[in-house]
Amino acid sequence: MLLARLVDAAATVASRTSRSAKIEALADLLRDTAEQRIAAVTAMSSGVLPTGRIGIGPAAVRAARPKTAAERPGLSVDDLLGGFAEIAAVSGKGAKTRRQEVLRRLLEAATPAEQDFVSRLLLQELRQGALEGLMVEAIAAAFDQPGALVRRAAMLRGDLPSVASIAAVQGRAGLESLRLEHFRPVQPMLASPVDDLESAWQRFAAGSRIQLEHKLDGARVQVHRDGDEVRVYSRQLNDVSTAVPELIEQARALPGQSFVLDGESFAHDGSGTALPFQVTMRRFGRRADVAAQRIELPLRTLFFDCLERDGEELLDAALGERRRHLEELLGAEALVPILLVESEASRLEAAEDFFERALDAGLEGLMAKDRRSVYEAGSRGFSWLKIKPVHTLDLVVLAAEWGSGRRRGWLSNLHLGARDPEGGFVMLGKTFKGLTDEMLAWQTRRLQQLATQDQDPQSPWVVRVRPELVVEIAFNNVQSSSQYPGGMALRFARVKRYRPDRGAEDATTVAEVREVFEREHRLARDAPRARREG
């Protein structure tokens, strides 16, 4: 297959507004792809290098960009993959220069459109993660498979390109054969935000049994054990076992020979009181001195779900059943505290008391879960809800502005965007509030590493960055705005913290922001009428 076919499909997806048109363009591409290249084409269509990192950064891409280009398409997907493999194999003295030479030869054989595609692919600027939902549906359409089956396979496998290959080569039987495996982390089930307990009640069916849990402000962990082997994975499915030796020891001491547990780890002050999230994340830094930090910042882990136990997969079991397994496996001190309530308003008083106790303990709030719900890995539905007393959004940093005055020399004013599930991000405003000097220094270093090539010469004080950094933003409300393309802007936005445990694909969506906007405007519109009628 010519690379031009892949580039044309990417251009079609970028230019179309219809979701079905985007899916059909990707499905057509996959149908035209040879079976042995399905995984690579799926990866590149999703903005991911199929070979992983190959030692090429922004400076190398800029230096290798040739002044000439091919007039007609001639470069194949195999040529591109071969070039990437050759670059990855370069090592030793002068490796940087030799990698640039290989890349330059590759780009000289490409058309201008292909050069742009390859450059953005190498720089991870092809909407990384934003196309995953579309690709799942495209795989289902291309190989005539049920969408739900492909989604489940992707969640269990944690690797969409390999799922595409299985769908193409093995079909339904191959997808159905996928099971939860030890040491292959499952995408975590996610929760949708609601404002308060009454809003949570409205999301659940009448008569539902609801499980309220204290919401911890720590690092999400997934613990796998098979015999004496134990590994721990982060929310991003990275192996963080070496950072949490006390959790490894805790898991090995539990009864039973195999399990997969979902929980939250947090640093504490020695008495069990949780320390701030930023303190906990020091334990997971790449250069962390784990031996010293284990003494200075001891970790405690509380568990709230059980996905497998002694060979029994529990993903499709009801939450109540999974909680029973958890209680049999662990003592009460290792479990997140819960309160079982009915969804009727008569039980609201007990729930509010439970909520207040969580806040008094310095926790974020509550989780509300339907006891009948199955574990939908990777899903952010309404079976799990999170209730916080403060309005916050997880937004992506799109750019930053060089500061002035006391902040001169620091990247300060952040451009914030919500995720568009159809691709890209929608800007919602800017803020420099809430940033400490420590945060300013860190974000200046990090954002310069993420800087892209497409800087605007008319605005040299603005540094555009790859949309990878997620920041938790507190705000008062969402207001109308003609300045931003989404027609909305955050009022009194301020930085609460960075979220290194979350990727751009986990950011708040535009639809979620619009729901807040419409609810606020509906209340504002209805309030005068209520006063008049009262």
Side-chain angles (χ1 to χ4, degrees):
M1 174 190 284
L2 288 178
L3 177 61
R5 177 70 181 86
L6 175 56
V7 173
D8 288 344
T12 299
V13 171
S15 63
R16 299 289 175 85
T17 57
S18 165
R19 183 177 181 85
S20 60
K22 294 172 184 282
I23 292 169
E24 189 56 33
L26 291 169
D28 283 343
L29 172 67
L30 294 178
R31 293 187 193 104
D32 291 345
T33 303
E35 288 183 351
Q36 67 270 26
R37 290 289 173 257
I38 290 287
V41 168
T42 299
M44 290 189 286
S45 297
S46 303
V48 178
L49 271 178
T51 53
R53 294 182 179 181
I54 59 175
I56 291 287
V61 172
R62 287 194 293 270
R65 193 74 183 253
K67 295 181 179 179
T68 61
E71 294 182 1
R72 298 183 182 85
L75 197 65
S76 70
V77 169
D78 283 352
D79 293 333
L80 183 63
L81 295 175
F84 287 165
E86 185 178 351
I87 292 169
V90 174
S91 62
K93 187 176 180 180
K96 180 179 178 180
T97 300
R98 296 204 306 278
R99 290 191 190 106
Q100 290 178 4
E101 290 173 353
V102 176
L103 180 57
R104 184 179 292 108
R105 290 200 308 270
L106 197 63
L107 293 176
E108 284 174 344
T111 64
E114 293 166 350
Q115 288 180 353
D116 180 66
F117 177 89
V118 173
S119 297
R120 289 189 292 127
L121 179 63
L122 289 168
L123 296 174
Q124 298 181 340
E125 294 175 10
L126 282 174
R127 304 175 185 172
Q128 184 178 10
L131 283 177
E132 182 169 332
L134 291 175
M135 284 303 306
V136 166
E137 295 186 51
I139 293 167
F143 306 116
D144 195 25
Q145 299 299 325
L149 180 60
V150 176
R151 280 191 294 275
R152 182 176 176 81
M155 293 167 189
L156 288 171
R157 195 77 174 183
D159 177 16
L160 192 56
S162 71
V163 169
S165 183
I166 291 170
V169 178
Q170 301 177 36
R172 183 165 188 152
L175 296 174
E176 289 179 339
S177 70
L178 297 179
R179 294 287 183 272
L180 186 151
E181 301 175 25
H182 288 116
F183 315 122
R184 183 187 288 276
V186 173
Q187 292 181 8
M189 185 167 177
L190 306 176
S192 294
V194 293
D195 291 336
D196 49 41
L197 283 165
E198 289 191 21
S199 299
W201 262 219
Q202 294 169 8
R203 292 287 188 181
F204 296 121
S208 298
R209 291 200 81 203
I210 308 304
Q211 177 173 304
L212 297 181
E213 299 176 359
H214 283 176
K215 188 179 189 308
L216 307 175
D217 191 18
R220 186 88 173 257
V221 290
Q222 191 177 125
V223 181
H224 290 232
R225 175 181 172 182
D226 187 8
D228 289 333
E229 186 172 5
V230 177
R231 295 184 204 167
V232 179
Y233 301 92
S234 70
R235 190 177 190 278
Q236 300 298 322
L237 312 187
N238 297 318
D239 191 329
V240 294
S241 304
T242 57
V244 289
E246 53 268 73
L247 180 50
I248 298 291
E249 294 166 6
Q250 178 184 0
R252 284 199 177 118
L254 293 175
Q257 287 299 300
S258 86
F259 51 72
V260 176
L261 306 180
D262 198 354
E264 197 96 359
S265 290
F266 55 91
H268 62 89
D269 61 3
S271 67
T273 301
L275 295 173
F277 174 80
Q278 292 90 335
V279 177
T280 293
M281 293 311 295
R282 293 179 195 169
R283 286 292 305 263
F284 295 87
R286 285 183 294 178
R287 299 179 182 178
D289 183 344
V290 176
Q293 288 191 347
R294 181 172 181 176
I295 298 172
E296 298 171 7
L297 298 173
L299 276 185
R300 184 183 179 195
T301 302
L302 296 181
F303 296 97
F304 51 79
D305 222 319
C306 182
L307 312 186
E308 184 269 347
R309 182 185 177 197
D310 291 334
E312 182 180 357
E313 185 179 301
L314 300 172
L315 291 173
D316 293 325
L319 173 62
E321 176 70 5
R322 302 201 305 275
R323 179 74 186 193
R324 180 184 66 77
H325 280 277
L326 204 58
E327 291 170 348
E328 291 176 356
L329 186 62
L330 297 108
E333 291 186 356
L335 298 180
V336 172
I338 68 169
L339 175 69
L340 299 181
V341 297
E342 308 298 335
S343 61
E344 283 77 8
S346 61
R347 304 302 299 271
L348 189 58
E349 185 176 346
E352 287 177 340
D353 180 65
F354 191 66
F355 194 10
E356 290 300 324
R357 280 188 279 137
L359 298 181
D360 289 343
L363 303 179
E364 279 194 309
L366 293 182
M367 298 289 293
K369 302 178 179 179
D370 188 333
R371 290 276 284 186
R372 300 169 301 180
S373 62
V374 300
Y375 194 95
E376 299 175 284
S379 173
R380 193 189 293 277
F382 294 106
S383 295
W384 285 15
L385 304 174
K386 55 184 176 182
I387 310 164
K388 296 183 182 181
V390 179
H391 292 301
T392 62
L393 302 173
D394 290 331
L395 301 178
V396 176
V397 179
L398 307 178
E401 299 175 11
W402 288 107
S404 58
R406 197 182 71 82
R407 294 191 174 189
R408 183 178 299 276
W410 281 338
L411 285 171
S412 176
N413 205 16
L414 301 176
H415 295 204
L416 306 167
R419 178 171 60 89
D420 183 349
E422 304 243 347
F425 300 87
V426 176
M427 189 169 173
L428 295 173
K430 309 175 185 180
T431 191
F432 54 83
K433 297 178 180 178
L435 293 166
T436 65
D437 288 355
E438 182 180 357
M439 293 172 74
L440 283 165
W442 178 84
Q443 75 180 27
T444 298
R445 293 192 300 270
R446 183 69 182 115
L447 292 173
Q448 286 180 296
Q449 295 170 351
L450 296 175
T452 65
Q453 288 182 292
D454 60 335
Q455 305 302 322
D456 184 357
Q458 303 300 317
S459 305
W461 62 89
V462 178
V463 176
R464 296 178 180 173
V465 299
R466 300 198 301 273
E468 297 180 11
L469 204 57
V470 177
V471 61
E472 186 175 359
I473 299 293
F475 65 101
N476 283 27
N477 51 47
V478 184
Q479 60 188 10
S480 299
S481 173
S482 59
Q483 183 177 355
Y484 300 115
M488 302 177 293
L490 302 182
R491 188 165 181 259
F492 298 128
R494 55 218 180 262
V495 175
K496 284 197 67 180
R497 56 180 174 171
Y498 276 99
R499 298 303 306 251
D501 59 325
R502 299 190 176 183
E505 66 277 9
D506 301 315
T508 302
T509 66
V510 177
E512 290 171 337
V513 178
R514 191 167 300 283
E515 185 177 353
V516 175
F517 172 80
E518 291 176 350
R519 181 173 62 250
E520 289 178 346
H521 280 254
R522 183 169 59 251
L523 292 173
R525 183 180 63 247
D526 293 344
R529 181 189 309 162
R531 285 195 295 269
R532 287 194 302 270
E533 294 176 351

